[in-house]
Amino acid sequence: KTAAIVGCPFSGGQPKAGVDEGPIRIVEAGIIPQLEDLGWKVKFDGHHEFENISASLTSDPPIGKLKNPRLVSQVTEAVAKAVGAHAQNGELPVTIGGDHSLAMGTISGTLSHYPNACVVWVDAHADINTVETTDSGNIHGMPVSFLLGIGSKVPEFSWVKPLLKPDSIVYIGLRDVDAGEKQILREHNIKAFSMHEVDRYGIGKVVEMALDHVNPKRDRPIHLSFDVDALDPSVAPSTGTPVRGGLTFREGHYICEAVYETGLLVALDLMEVNPSLKDPVDVEQTVAVGCSLLRSALGETLL
Ligand SMILES: N[C@@]1(C(=O)O)CN(C[C@@H]2CCCCN2)C[C@@H]1CCC[B-](O)(O)O
Ligand SMILES: [Mn+2]
Ligand SMILES: [Mn+2]
Ligand SMILES: [Mn+2]
């Protein structure tokens, strides 16, 4: 079994510099030999270069509130092609971000090859703002709305096909959801296990219920999209939009272990590690947690 590392040094979906260094630090931390030690054949053709895309853009003025729209669209389209190609080759794409706008690409890529795939989205945030509801205009808060095809269309994003259905995504870890997003989740009956449910049922039951919702017969491929800000800031401090009251180290790892145990994982994203926001100790911790989550999602067990 081959894992293909899709290193995406990209920060255009949000305003904080440094998140583009995430993949570089995770690879430098040794994720490749770590995965090889788990028995994976690891393919890594170097981090994706997006310079040519940004160089070819003479200008990229906001569209409405949306920031860096053309850059984000072109980068995520390239990522969709890369992920789709790896999936086509029978490899498991492991996309390391970079900000979460990249998931517009990764999940498009997965769905192009596995149309029946379901998505487990682990995050403090729903990332489902539309052109109408976004307040920040930061596209890392919007990828799910594009994947669902909701909200008014933006011609620059016409490559994104509405391949994701509302009943095929489930959230775990939500605790900072905008009013407009809450309304969208309700209107589309999108299943979400917030930190309230994690407290109430425990992570084991939450993961079971989440999978029962999107994968009742455990026969659908799974795309796991993990935003490290789902974890409590004490666990993963160096990230752009930290929110208190998050998942513990073990809860985050349990999700990854349980998803791997299904044997259905076909694609994995590890997003929003920004190694420039904190002191070296906190950065090191965040990078190490990112590597650890990746290992757990790819078969590392405690016994
Ligand atoms: N919904 C958001 C958006 O900008 O759209 C607003 N939020 C920050 C905001 C700060 C003030 C209190 C309410 N929250 C970040 C989120 C996007 C996170 C993207 B992710 O990829 O990090 O999950
Ligand atoms: Mn590649
Ligand atoms: Mn996110
Ligand atoms: Mn988030």
Side-chain angles (χ1 to χ4, degrees):
K1 43 180 187 165
T2 303
I5 305 286
V6 183
C8 291
F10 183 64
S11 64
Q14 55 79 64
K16 295 181 181 177
V19 69
D20 51 322
E21 294 293 313
I24 294 152
R25 294 293 294 271
I26 285 181
V27 168
E28 279 173 359
I31 192 62
I32 293 170
Q34 290 168 24
L35 297 182
E36 288 170 338
D37 290 348
L38 291 173
W40 289 91
K41 187 173 174 307
V42 182
K43 220 174 138 182
F44 178 55
D45 43 11
H47 294 292
H48 284 261
E49 304 281 315
F50 301 121
E51 278 64 37
N52 54 322
I53 291 176
S54 39
S56 68
L57 283 169
T58 42
S59 73
D60 190 12
I63 297 171
K65 285 188 171 178
L66 271 55
K67 294 166 183 157
N68 311 320
R70 297 161 194 79
L71 177 66
V72 173
S73 176
Q74 292 181 34
V75 165
T76 52
E77 185 176 15
V79 170
K81 289 180 178 139
V83 167
H86 289 309
Q88 180 78 25
N89 283 348
E91 297 152 358
L92 196 158
V94 179
T95 303
I96 307 172
D99 72 66
H100 221 165
S101 64
L102 290 163
M104 212 185 302
T106 64
I107 294 171
S108 293
T110 298
L111 290 169
S112 70
H113 188 69
Y114 300 101
N116 192 36
C118 61
V119 176
V120 177
W121 192 286
V122 185
D123 204 324
H125 312 93
D127 297 2
I128 199 168
N129 273 306
T130 62
V131 172
E132 285 79 19
T133 66
T134 183
D135 186 34
S136 67
N138 298 325
I139 301 177
H140 75 156
M142 307 176 72
V144 181
S145 79
F146 283 96
L147 291 162
L148 293 169
I150 59 178
S152 57
K153 301 294 162 278
V154 180
E156 286 73 7
F157 287 86
S158 59
W159 70 268
V160 190
K161 303 305 171 207
L163 302 173
L164 182 65
K165 300 285 170 281
D167 65 3
S168 299
I169 181 169
V170 63
Y171 290 98
I172 301 174
L174 299 189
R175 58 188 183 277
D176 178 15
V177 181
D178 300 337
E181 294 180 302
K182 288 179 180 174
Q183 190 180 348
I184 290 168
L185 294 176
R186 280 194 302 272
E187 276 170 6
H188 295 272
N189 295 313
I190 293 173
K191 193 78 174 169
F193 294 91
S194 72
M195 290 309 297
H196 180 81
E197 282 71 43
V198 173
D199 295 337
R200 178 171 175 180
Y201 300 112
I203 197 65
K205 187 70 184 153
V206 162
V207 173
E208 185 188 340
M209 293 188 285
L211 292 176
D212 286 350
H213 179 75
V214 290
N215 211 335
K217 298 206 270 321
R218 301 293 192 275
D219 59 354
R220 297 179 70 175
I222 298 173
H223 182 122
L224 174 62
S225 198
F226 202 117
D227 183 330
V228 290
D229 71 30
L231 299 170
D232 189 80
S234 65
V235 177
S238 210
T239 189
T241 52
V243 186
R244 62 188 172 183
L247 297 168
T248 65
F249 179 95
R250 275 303 313 155
E251 288 168 336
H253 283 78
Y254 180 82
I255 296 167
C256 294
E257 292 156 1
V259 167
Y260 181 78
E261 265 178 338
T262 66
L264 298 164
L265 184 74
V266 295
L268 176 60
D269 307 331
L270 195 276
M271 304 307 212
E272 300 281 355
V273 170
N274 184 333
S276 75
L277 296 176
K278 294 281 180 186
D279 62 57
V281 169
D282 281 353
V283 170
E284 219 41 61
Q285 177 187 353
T286 309
V287 170
V289 168
C291 291
S292 182
L293 289 167
L294 287 170
R295 295 197 304 271
S296 293
L298 293 169
E300 185 174 72
T301 57
L302 301 182
L303 289 177

